[in-house]
Amino acid sequence: MSSKPPGASLPLLKLSRIDKSYGNTQVLKHCSIDVASKETIVIIGPSGSGKSTLLRCINLLETVDAGNIFFEGRDLTRERKSEHLVRQQIGMVFQNFELFSHLSAIENIMLAPMTVSGLSRNDAYVLALGLLRKVRLGERADHFPDQLSGGQQQRVAIARALAMKPKVMLYDEPTSALDPEMVSEVLDVMAELSAEGMTSVVVTHEMGFARRAADKIVFMDAGEVILTETSEQFFGGTTHERARRFLDQIVH
């Protein structure tokens, strides 16, 4: 007989005791996180604590040394041959926008649906234009990356990730390369996606976004997951001393 309580379900994404080293330096130590469907997890912590590496492991951009990553119950650490299929379902937005400079905004978004999913050019155009409008850039469809601000380029990058209709979105410090006045336009789009039910895992130093959009806060330090709390618990007065010291430094 199952020990699960009525109505309980497996997390959409589960990281179990992930280890990762580069040479003699261990950057991830027994990291475990559960992400439920439609949940937004914000990972915070000091620089060098392993946050970005953990995201890259989820998307199979890095191989783990030990532990397991389960997505919809499948162990991704044993499915290296299907990396491209995993990345269609787990979208990722990076610090740098990585748009193709020779393609317009809409062409950047159309490319993967056409080449990977086999969409016709017309169907890909309709999809891409809808996504540009979703990130408030419908009028910039024909602009090239060098004609867009950093915030606009990052919103195009978000639309490009959404074009593959992922089940999870990963964001790796998506506003760190932006001028301060452009940060809010990107965070607003991310918060709207979370509110609409997009499962999201976000690495960021933007505590305002974390307080506003996160269901749970994961605090990392020195390669370890030190604390997992609800947003209300964390910002309402976490009792964990190391997390409180970090929060005092970053907020003040």
Side-chain angles (χ1 to χ4, degrees):
M1 190 179 212
S2 172
S3 60
K4 280 196 303 182
S9 59
L10 291 173
L12 179 63
L13 181 67
K14 181 181 182 66
L15 281 63
S16 178
R17 298 183 63 80
I18 299 299
D19 287 352
K20 174 67 180 177
S21 296
Y22 296 112
N24 294 323
T25 303
Q26 188 170 4
V27 293
L28 297 176
K29 306 170 188 174
H30 309 318
C31 293
S32 297
I33 301 173
D34 286 0
V35 185
S37 179
K38 300 186 179 181
E39 192 171 46
T40 294
I41 304 292
V42 173
I43 303 176
I44 64 173
S47 296
S49 56
K51 306 181 299 293
S52 294
T53 301
L54 192 62
L55 276 197
R56 292 175 65 85
C57 288
I58 295 172
N59 212 34
L60 304 186
L61 293 170
E62 300 281 358
T63 56
V64 302
D65 298 330
N68 305 89
I69 300 171
F70 298 97
F71 175 63
E72 295 186 316
R74 293 159 37 214
D75 188 352
L76 301 187
T77 54
R78 305 189 185 284
E79 294 190 17
R80 299 293 309 179
K81 292 182 179 177
S82 55
E83 291 173 9
H84 64 291
L85 297 176
V86 169
R87 291 180 194 141
Q88 289 176 43
Q89 298 184 75
I90 303 178
M92 189 158 181
V93 177
F94 300 88
Q95 296 178 30
N96 298 311
F97 327 121
E98 300 188 3
L99 300 177
F100 291 109
S101 60
H102 66 290
L103 298 179
S104 66
I106 198 163
E107 289 170 335
N108 265 281
I109 300 167
M110 291 167 60
L111 186 61
M114 290 171 60
T115 57
V116 177
S117 301
L119 248 59
S120 69
R121 184 170 184 83
N122 184 66
D123 286 347
Y125 182 90
V126 171
L127 172 66
L129 185 57
L131 289 170
L132 278 172
R133 288 171 176 160
K134 189 175 188 67
V135 299
R136 306 172 193 168
L137 287 173
E139 75 286 357
R140 297 285 194 272
D142 296 325
H143 286 56
F144 287 83
D146 64 3
Q147 298 172 309
L148 300 172
S149 70
Q152 290 170 338
Q153 289 185 61
Q154 190 61 292
R155 282 185 281 156
V156 172
I158 291 172
R160 179 179 58 182
L162 291 172
M164 297 308 294
K165 301 181 180 178
K167 296 179 180 178
V168 179
M169 284 283 281
L170 309 177
Y171 301 91
D172 183 12
E173 305 251 20
T175 59
S176 65
L178 301 180
D179 293 332
E181 64 269 20
M182 297 175 187
V183 168
S184 64
E185 64 192 50
V186 173
L187 295 179
D188 285 348
V189 166
M190 292 167 56
E192 287 170 10
L193 290 170
S194 291
E196 291 169 5
M198 171 59 72
T199 308
S200 306
V201 183
V202 185
V203 169
T204 185
H205 287 292
E206 298 290 341
M207 293 300 102
F209 171 82
R211 187 190 295 263
R212 166 187 174 192
D215 296 297
K216 287 193 300 200
I217 303 294
V218 171
F219 179 73
M220 292 185 66
D221 189 27
E224 297 183 78
V225 172
I226 301 297
L227 175 72
T228 300
E229 290 185 333
T230 66
S231 180
E232 291 80 6
Q233 288 171 329
F234 187 80
F235 289 108
T238 180
T239 58
H240 193 284
E241 182 183 350
R242 178 66 185 93
R244 199 167 61 242
R245 276 191 285 121
F246 173 82
L247 195 55
D248 287 343
Q249 290 174 343
I250 200 165
V251 171
H252 301 111

